[in-house]
Amino acid sequence: NYSVTSVTGTTANITAKTLSVTAAAVNKQYDANTNATVTFADDRVSGDVLTVTGNASFVNKNVGVGKTVNVSGISISGTDSGNYTQNTTTSTTADITSKTLTVSATAQNKVNDGNTGATVTLTNNAVAGDVVTQTFTSANFDTASTGSGKVVTVLGVAIAGADATNYTLASSTAVTTANITNAPSSGGGSSRVIIIPVEPIVGKVLGA
């Protein structure tokens, strides 16, 4: 009942594919900032050329396990990027592990005072700007005798401060060296008073 006289063209739309971008974060050692490193993955059509970029950061700088990492500003580029629309944010988790803190000691030279007590100053390798202080229980020369480059041992080293929990103390002992010099002489030599007993001459006549 019908006959086809011609075939006409038509049109249709190809809409962009929704691209699901995810991120996996890398654990890091404490460095006093929130910067995070992530690797992106997505569900692109096999063979399509896309590059995914974005900004990643931990929720705070402090040490912790399974910390949230927020990724924002996700964008795509590349030959086939015009065929996709992507999410611009995502999140993942990662760890921040503690940084090893080394406490070093500097001892003052001293004049021999007959004991081993030493005066020391402590420093550490905390990240600049972090609040970490150190204390100790004792500091002593190896012996009380005079000498150069004598070993000074500092015991009971501990740390405190607002950022101390982000560090693991390498050692509770610090070792350094200093000199013990001889005490200066008083000068002028020494003197003695000699007492010579004199026999009394009571009741005697001189020349008798």
Side-chain angles (χ1 to χ4, degrees), residues 23-37:
V26 178
N27 298 334
K28 74 170 186 176
Q29 185 182 75
Y30 175 79
D31 58 5
N33 66 61
T34 61
N35 298 340
T37 300

Side-chain angles (χ1 to χ4, degrees), residues 25 36 78 132 182:
V132 181
N182 285 318

Side-chain angles (χ1 to χ4, degrees), residues 101-105 122-127 130-134 159-160 167 169:
L101 188 78
T102 301
V103 174
S104 302
L122 301 184
T123 57
N124 63 57
N125 65 333
V127 177
D130 272 5
V131 179
V132 181
T133 58
Q134 55 277 321
I159 58 174
Y167 294 88
L169 186 62

Side-chain angles (χ1 to χ4, degrees), residues 30 36 43-44 50 60 87-88 103 113 115 117 141 145 171 174 194:
Y30 175 79
D43 59 349
R44 74 186 71 182
L50 297 174
N60 59 50
N87 52 297
T88 57
V103 174
D113 58 3
N115 65 64
F141 285 91
S145 60
S171 176
I194 301 174

Side-chain angles (χ1 to χ4, degrees), residues 94-163:
D95 304 339
I96 298 178
T97 58
S98 61
K99 175 179 171 64
T100 300
L101 188 78
T102 301
V103 174
S104 302
T106 301
Q108 294 182 12
N109 299 330
K110 75 169 187 176
V111 174
N112 194 323
D113 58 3
N115 65 64
T116 61
T119 300
V120 297
T121 301
L122 301 184
T123 57
N124 63 57
N125 65 333
V127 177
D130 272 5
V131 179
V132 181
T133 58
Q134 55 277 321
T135 57
F136 64 96
T137 56
S138 66
N140 291 280
F141 285 91
D142 51 353
T143 68
S145 60
T146 297
S148 298
K150 294 178 64 67
V151 173
V152 176
T153 302
V154 184
L155 300 177
V157 175
I159 58 174
D163 297 302

Side-chain angles (χ1 to χ4, degrees), residues 165-177:
T165 55
N166 293 314
Y167 294 88
T168 299
L169 186 62
S171 176
S172 60
T173 302
V175 178
T176 185
T177 60

